[in-house]
């Protein structure tokens, strides 16, 4: 590989090796990874941990509009 | 205080918090880079550039992992806070602050049968002769048709009233209304609500919206099975047509519906396109206005709100109401046909959301909405940071360089885009897989967001926009 680096279209390539560019690139990298993590979370099927717990306090009486109806347990 | 003062406060707070978050991260990174020293270029061209863009010294693997963990913790944190707040309101027994909380409603209606569920539909219409026929047809041909349909004719100068009468539905004409849709609906509701019982439901739907079959039957069954349920919202998706701009909006709505399904119907907004409300819930809102809620005492809708559906949702939630948006209740809504009309529509939504947040302030029930605004705000910083970085890099290199790691990340984003619109068919997936067009669409929405914050910060008055429909010529006229 060549040791001399080609120059850019408009800006000198040295820009890419400056400190502020490193900060900027890192800033963007961290943001991008944060959004990538959220993207993966959005893609995967959602889990509902509350489904695993059987609660005693659910539907102890009918919530329907017919007072004589039997209690319908939710979910 | 005038309403734009509230909104100015909301917009500026969001801008300040988001900028602070971005700034803090920037300084944290800068400190770390200075600490760790710059990248070495002795590794050759690819590795040299690699270590600039995937800087192995400044952001270590642990920093990267921390970023991922932070994002997931933030998302989970917001979700948990929202769940806790919802649960707290659902269990409330405080009749003064939460008169619509389930326990209170259940106690008030225990052992009493107030008759079967009836549905009265109100359709606010301002010169809607072009779209009203389809709307009425979709309504009247439902497997469970509504008991009563009232077209609320607001300052109509076209054939709206004639079309309503020809289809045998009632017409309510607003009187000297200067408050647009909300004002017209307030007048109709003031006439309607006093005569409504505990199991009578009022549906509000737009004149440019069509219900899918089964909507009313599903909603009625929800209300019958849960007497504490105060509102059922529609899930909207876009009409066909309008080319590329139409597909952008359809994809957006598909993702929104998917998100709501994953939330199991926990509503963000009871959409103005089509939502049903138990009459008792609307009466409680009208009674609380001017006190616990913003607006004029006795009005159901706050006429100062730009997005009255969003405002009414927050109002109901604030009173402890149980609301849901079931996946069976879907509606087709019109799309904006041009970038100009889309810009105006979204600017109104954005200003409306900010003004509502300003009017309610930071309260448990608005935390989720604040988080949403902050999330979009940070997204703007992240996206513009990313794109400008790419631009500077492209201008500083004369040859294209591939970065496998970032290509992999790009693939993750592409996959997410496609998976989340899968239900929309091949056109939706085709647009999503290209990634860049949707990124440009997001940028457009980001500009709307920034304009909304800016306008509210300088106190510019927001205005309603109304899409004028073109009347389709009759078949006879075309044949002539």
């Amino acid at each position: 590989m060549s040791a001399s680096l080609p120059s850019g279209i408009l800006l000198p390539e040295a820009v890419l090796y400056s400190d502020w560019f490193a900060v900027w690139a890192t800033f963007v990298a961290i943001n991008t990874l944060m959004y990538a993590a959220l993207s993966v979370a959005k893609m995967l099927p959602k889990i509902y941990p509350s489904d695993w717990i059987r609660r005693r306090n659910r539907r102890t009486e009918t919530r329907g509009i017919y007072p004589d109806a039997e209690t319908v347990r939710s979910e | 205080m005038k309403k734009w003062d509230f909104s100015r406060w909301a917009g500026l707070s969001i801008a300040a918090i988001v900028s602070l978050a971005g700034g803090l991260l920037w300084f944290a990174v800068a400190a770390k880079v200075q600490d760790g020293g710059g990248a070495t270029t002795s590794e050759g061209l690819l590795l040299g550039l690699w270590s600039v863009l995937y800087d192995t010294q400044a952001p270590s693997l642990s920093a990267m992992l921390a970023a991922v963990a932070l994002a997931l913790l933030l998302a989970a944190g917001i979700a948990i806070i929202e769940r806790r707040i919802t649960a707290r309101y659902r269990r409330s027994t405080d009749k003064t602050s939460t008169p619509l909380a389930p326990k209170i409603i259940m106690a008030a209606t225990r052992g009493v049968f107030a008759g079967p569920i009836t549905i009265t539909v109100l359709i606010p219409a301002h010169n809607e002769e072009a779209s009203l026929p389809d709307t009425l047809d979709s309504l009247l041909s439902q497997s469970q048709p509504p008991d009563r349909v009232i077209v609320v004719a607001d300052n109509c100068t076209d054939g709206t009233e004639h079309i309503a009468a020809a289809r045998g539905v009632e017409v309510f004409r607003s009187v000297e209304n200067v408050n647009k849709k909300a004002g017209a609906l307030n007048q109709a509701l003031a006439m309607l609500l006093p005569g409504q019982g505990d199991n009578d439901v009022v549906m509000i739907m737009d004149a440019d919206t069509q219900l899918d079959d089964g909507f009313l039957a599903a909603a009625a069954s929800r209300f019958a099975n849960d007497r504490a349920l105060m509102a059922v919202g529609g899930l909207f998706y876009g009409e066909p047509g309008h080319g590329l701009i139409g597909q952008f909006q359809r994809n957006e709505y598909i993702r929104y519906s998917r998100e709501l399904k994953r939330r199991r119907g926990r509503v963000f907004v009871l959409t103005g396109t089509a939502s049903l409300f138990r009459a008792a819930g609307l009466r409680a809102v009208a009674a609380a206005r001017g006190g616990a809620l913003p607006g004029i005492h006795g009005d159901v809708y706050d006429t100062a709100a730009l997005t009255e559906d969003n405002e009414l949702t927050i109002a109901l939630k604030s009173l402890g109401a149980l609301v849901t948006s079931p996946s069976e209740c879907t509606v087709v809504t019109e799309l904006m046909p041009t970038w100009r009309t889309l810009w105006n529509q979204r600017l109104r939504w954005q200003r409306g959301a900010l003004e509502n947040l300003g009017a309610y302030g930071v309260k448990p029930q608005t935390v989720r909405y604040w988080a949403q605004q902050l999330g979009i705000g940070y997204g703007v910083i992240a996206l513009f940071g990313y794109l400008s970085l790419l631009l500077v890099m492209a201008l500083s290199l004369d040859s294209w360089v591939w970065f496998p790691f970032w290509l992999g990340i790009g693939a993750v984003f592409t996959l997410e885009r496609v998976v989340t619109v899968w239900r929309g068919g091949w056109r939706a997936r085709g647009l999503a897989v290209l990634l860049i067009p949707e990124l440009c669409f997001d940028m457009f929405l980001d500009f709307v967001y920034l304009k909304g914050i800016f306008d509210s910060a300088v106190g510019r008055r927001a205005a309603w926009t109304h899409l004028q429909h073109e009347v389709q010529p009759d078949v006879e006229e075309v044949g002539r």
Side-chain angles (χ1 to χ4, degrees):
Chain A
M1 267 181 245
S2 162
S4 63
L5 298 169
S7 59
I9 301 166
L10 269 180
L11 301 168
E13 198 169 294
V15 162
L16 301 185
Y17 297 94
S18 59
D19 268 355
W20 62 266
F21 188 84
V23 174
W24 190 5
T26 310
F27 176 73
V28 168
I30 289 176
N31 283 336
T32 309
L33 283 173
M34 280 166 57
Y35 281 96
L38 293 176
S39 287
V40 171
K42 268 189 195 156
M43 248 188 305
L44 296 174
K46 196 165 177 177
I47 49 162
Y48 304 91
S50 59
D51 288 1
W52 306 334
I53 310 159
R54 193 126 190 99
R55 286 184 207 164
R56 284 178 295 120
N57 61 353
R58 278 195 177 175
R59 300 278 160 117
T60 49
E61 60 168 327
T62 180
R63 280 177 73 156
I65 59 169
Y66 303 99
D68 305 330
E70 283 188 24
T71 305
V72 182
R73 293 197 78 86
S74 67
E75 289 162 271
Chain B
M1 211 188 282
K2 284 180 195 160
K3 80 179 166 121
W4 53 260
D5 287 333
F6 289 119
S7 120
R8 179 182 294 200
W9 169 77
L12 282 175
S13 310
I14 288 164
I17 294 169
V18 165
S19 309
L20 187 70
L24 279 177
L25 178 59
W26 182 279
F27 283 116
V29 169
K32 187 85 178 151
V33 166
Q34 245 110 65
D35 227 25
T40 51
T41 51
S42 58
E43 298 157 88
L45 180 65
L46 179 67
L47 283 176
L49 280 170
W50 171 273
S51 58
V52 170
L53 292 161
Y54 179 58
D55 203 322
T56 48
Q57 295 178 20
S60 57
L61 185 66
S62 60
M64 295 280 190
L65 288 175
V68 171
L70 180 71
L72 295 178
L73 277 175
L74 270 175
I78 290 166
I80 289 167
I81 288 170
E82 190 188 9
R83 285 302 284 258
R84 288 193 71 108
I85 289 168
T86 311
R88 204 179 82 196
Y89 274 69
R90 279 184 71 165
R91 288 171 196 149
S92 170
T93 49
D94 182 350
K95 284 183 188 172
T96 325
S97 65
T98 54
L100 294 178
K103 278 188 181 172
I104 295 161
I105 300 290
M106 297 250 297
T109 53
R110 184 167 292 134
V112 186
F113 179 58
I117 300 290
T118 73
I119 299 175
T120 303
V121 183
L122 294 185
I123 308 174
H126 170 65
N127 291 345
E128 300 281 3
E129 67 174 14
S131 53
L132 193 58
D134 288 345
T135 304
L136 289 175
D137 289 346
S138 83
L139 198 53
L140 298 172
S141 63
Q142 286 277 306
S143 59
Q144 178 174 342
D147 298 84
R148 200 175 164 192
V149 179
I150 306 171
V151 170
V152 182
D154 181 36
N155 300 316
C156 288
T157 51
D158 67 351
T160 300
E161 292 185 30
H162 175 72
I163 285 169
R167 279 186 169 61
V169 305
E170 295 171 53
V171 174
F172 176 90
R173 205 175 293 153
S174 64
V175 182
E176 292 176 11
N177 172 42
V178 289
N179 291 313
K180 313 277 179 189
K181 184 171 153 185
L185 282 171
N186 279 340
Q187 289 186 7
L189 287 165
M191 172 275 296
L192 183 69
L193 287 181
Q196 300 269 293
D198 281 335
N199 290 335
D200 294 329
V201 171
V202 180
M203 173 168 186
I204 316 273
M205 79 177 286
D206 277 348
D208 50 29
T209 299
Q210 287 127 52
L211 302 185
D212 284 334
D213 194 27
F215 186 117
L216 290 186
S221 140
R222 293 270 174 159
F223 280 114
N225 287 331
D226 194 343
R227 61 184 198 273
L229 183 65
M230 281 295 131
V232 167
L235 271 183
F236 51 90
Y237 61 91
E239 62 188 356
H242 301 305
L244 187 63
I245 192 174
Q247 195 60 50
F248 280 130
Q249 293 171 76
R250 276 191 291 278
N251 281 14
E252 195 187 8
Y253 292 163
I254 290 166
R255 291 200 178 96
Y256 181 76
S257 292
R258 182 177 181 272
E259 191 57 33
L260 271 193
K261 275 182 198 164
R262 284 161 71 89
R263 286 167 59 84
R264 292 191 169 169
R266 277 178 298 120
V267 181
F268 292 119
V269 179
L270 292 161
T271 173
T273 50
S275 291
L276 297 96
F277 305 90
R278 213 176 270 273
L282 295 182
R283 278 200 296 262
V285 168
R289 291 226 184 268
L293 301 176
I296 297 162
H297 184 75
D299 276 358
V300 170
Y301 283 97
D302 178 11
T303 49
L306 268 174
T307 44
E308 72 292 327
D309 51 358
N310 175 259
E311 200 281 338
L312 186 60
T313 311
I314 304 178
L316 282 164
K317 284 186 174 182
S318 297
L319 298 181
L322 186 62
V323 299
T324 188
S325 188
S327 55
E328 312 92 84
C329 294
T330 52
V331 300
V332 187
T333 193
E334 78 169 349
L335 299 176
M336 294 296 116
T338 64
W339 293 103
R340 166 58 53 189
T341 50
L342 183 65
W343 174 274
N344 288 338
Q345 180 201 42
R346 296 313 166 89
L347 194 56
R348 184 170 68 80
W349 288 2
Q350 178 57 26
R351 287 296 303 271
L354 284 178
E355 287 181 10
N356 291 339
L357 285 184
Y360 280 83
V362 185
K363 295 209 305 193
Q365 290 293 7
T366 57
V367 164
R368 188 62 175 77
Y369 300 90
W370 280 101
Q372 220 162 8
Q373 287 291 321
L374 291 173
I376 305 171
Y378 196 81
V380 173
I381 293 182
L383 185 61
F384 283 90
Y386 170 75
L387 292 174
S388 51
L389 182 82
L390 285 191
L391 185 72
V392 167
M393 208 171 71
L395 293 177
S396 310
L397 292 167
D398 65 354
S399 59
W400 192 255
V401 185
W402 296 99
F403 297 97
F405 178 79
W406 293 112
L407 279 176
I409 295 289
V412 170
F413 284 122
T414 310
L415 200 61
E416 185 262 339
R417 295 275 94 186
V418 176
V419 167
T420 50
V421 293
W422 194 259
R423 209 171 52 83
W426 290 108
R427 277 168 190 263
R429 296 167 210 162
L431 182 61
V433 81
L434 297 173
L435 193 66
I436 305 293
E438 287 207 322
L439 214 56
C440 293
F441 184 69
D442 284 349
M443 270 184 74
F444 173 82
L445 296 181
D446 282 352
F447 278 115
V448 174
Y449 176 89
L450 289 175
K451 179 77 162 59
I453 296 249
F454 177 78
D455 282 356
S456 73
V458 299
R460 195 170 290 167
R461 292 287 295 195
W464 255 83
T465 49
H466 183 78
L467 185 67
Q468 278 300 331
H469 300 281
E470 272 180 42
V471 181
Q472 296 297 319
D474 287 342
V475 179
E476 294 162 31
E477 277 184 353
V478 173
R480 219 177 283 163

